[in-house]
Amino acid sequence: MSIPVILDCDPGHDDALAIMLAVADPAIDLRAVTTVAGNVTLENTTTNALRVLDMVGRPDIPVAAGADRPRARALSTAASMHGEGGLAGPLPVEPSRGPSSLTAVELIGQVLTEASEPVTLVVTGPQTNAAAAIEALPHLRHRIARIVFMGGAVNLGNWTPAAEFNIWVDPEAADVVLRSGLDLTMIGLEVTHQAWLTDKHADAVRGKGDCGLFVAELLDHFVGFHQERFGWEGAPIHDAVTIAHLIDPTLVTTVFANVEIELGSELCVGRTVVDRWRVTERTPNCHVGLGIDRDRFVTLLMDRLVTLT
Ligand code: BDR
Ligand code: CA
């Protein structure tokens, strides 16, 4: 029995690897990909999602474009990390098709309606589309099995000292998701900063067909960026951890805790305030990732990626 999944993303190197893992692993039934502005503009994240699905031979998976900006703020991108187009490294290639005529929220509604069982929504970009879907589709909320998102941190941020990028870009959207009452799992930086790949992994897949070369060239850029910018040996493959967590729930350890989003403070906006030690009376609302078995994650990811040709 595979898990039906909608992947809402902003590719982005690690989003691309999340899509590839979702396609490669038989435990995941990727029903749709929806795109959001985040790492780069919506036009680019949508083109990149289409391109990655072409690369893995799945142009049958529908792709719909969603929000081109956060709910209440101007769009701020991470082009400095992912390149202006969002997938710096491999040479850009035009996708074989355009996106669906449906919006992201419409496609999410269609997939939820047509599925014979509840569907898992995985969010690896700003939560603008997820919040819009929660608000627009209240009659379908029982069709959402759970939401697993990459974003936030118990401790430090990565885009500001206090906030992680996905939450910081659209904190008002994250606030809607965290208050939704849905079954939520947060894969934050405590987890994903342990989930890194290095040059060695790029070289291990470089000779393995078109997909292997594509992954290697993505890693060349992404690992190189993290080496130069932070002095790290490798690059965290943040977004792929959401899919790995679905495939093998024993990889990531979690604690059920209250998580609220800071919206007001200039210094701390976008911070996921996690009541890790239950020092408040606030009701737990989210399974919060605390750590990952890095070796097993890397083995899983690499084993699956090399099956794509
Ligand atoms: C998140 O920010 C983006 O740059 C990555 O794609 C990931 O989703 C990590 O903070
Ligand atoms: Ca992302």
Side-chain angles (χ1 to χ4, degrees):
M1 278 288 288
S2 52
I3 303 166
V5 166
I6 300 169
L7 178 49
D8 183 64
C9 57
D10 63 339
H13 293 71
D14 50 334
D15 302 81
L17 293 169
I19 295 172
M20 295 178 92
L21 178 60
V23 166
D25 198 294
I28 304 295
D29 176 5
L30 185 59
R31 300 272 172 99
V33 173
T34 52
T35 54
V36 67
N39 280 327
V40 287
T41 63
L42 180 67
E43 199 186 344
N44 281 322
T45 60
T46 306
T47 299
N48 292 343
L50 291 162
R51 191 177 151 203
V52 172
L53 287 169
D54 276 350
M55 173 60 68
V56 296
R58 293 299 307 273
D60 56 304
I61 295 176
V63 174
D68 67 357
R69 70 196 67 178
R71 288 167 81 90
R73 295 169 195 263
L75 175 64
S76 220
T77 69
S80 58
M81 179 181 291
H82 297 272
E84 283 300 322
L87 288 183
L91 282 179
V93 177
E94 276 304 302
S96 64
R97 59 180 171 142
S100 161
S101 58
L102 301 179
T103 65
V105 171
E106 287 168 348
L107 180 59
I108 290 169
Q110 184 181 82
V111 172
L112 294 178
T113 304
E114 289 175 357
S116 57
E117 60 187 303
V119 177
T120 295
L121 179 59
V122 174
V123 184
T124 63
Q127 300 183 0
T128 324
N129 293 340
I134 289 167
E135 288 176 339
L137 308 169
H139 53 294
L140 292 174
R141 61 181 276 131
H142 65 288
R143 309 292 303 155
I144 301 174
R146 57 190 290 211
I147 297 179
V148 178
F149 64 90
M150 189 283 132
V154 179
N155 299 315
L156 302 177
N158 62 352
W159 213 253
T160 74
E164 180 280 332
F165 177 77
N166 288 338
I167 308 295
W168 178 82
V169 168
D170 195 344
E172 284 76 15
D175 185 55
V176 170
V177 172
L178 267 301
R179 290 178 189 281
S180 67
L182 292 162
D183 183 335
L184 304 175
T185 301
M186 167 174 141
I187 304 292
L189 298 177
E190 285 69 30
V191 179
T192 67
H193 277 172
Q194 296 178 48
W196 41 276
L197 296 182
T198 66
D199 295 327
K200 194 182 77 185
H201 300 102
D203 291 339
V205 294
R206 199 177 305 279
K208 311 255 183 217
D210 291 346
C211 282
L213 180 59
F214 181 71
V215 170
E217 290 177 342
L218 286 177
L219 290 176
D220 289 343
H221 171 86
F222 209 46
V223 170
F225 173 87
H226 286 83
Q227 287 171 342
E228 259 177 51
R229 172 70 181 77
F230 300 109
W232 296 348
E233 184 187 348
I237 313 300
H238 307 276
D239 295 338
V241 179
T242 56
I243 301 294
H245 165 68
L246 294 180
I247 296 167
D248 181 351
T250 70
L251 280 179
V252 174
T253 52
T254 61
V255 63
F256 193 48
N258 178 270
V259 182
E260 299 200 4
I261 309 294
E262 175 58 52
L263 299 176
S265 150
E266 198 180 319
L267 271 180
C268 296
V269 66
R271 175 157 180 73
T272 43
V273 179
V274 179
D275 188 3
R276 166 74 179 86
W277 300 113
R278 298 214 179 176
V279 294
T280 74
E281 298 297 311
R282 296 197 283 262
T283 309
N285 60 345
C286 187
H287 300 277
V288 178
L290 295 178
I292 186 169
D293 185 330
R294 189 237 165 194
D295 289 347
R296 284 202 296 123
F297 165 75
V298 170
T299 302
L300 170 70
L301 180 60
M302 296 300 289
D303 282 357
R304 294 302 180 274
L305 290 177
V306 294
T307 66
L308 299 165
T309 47

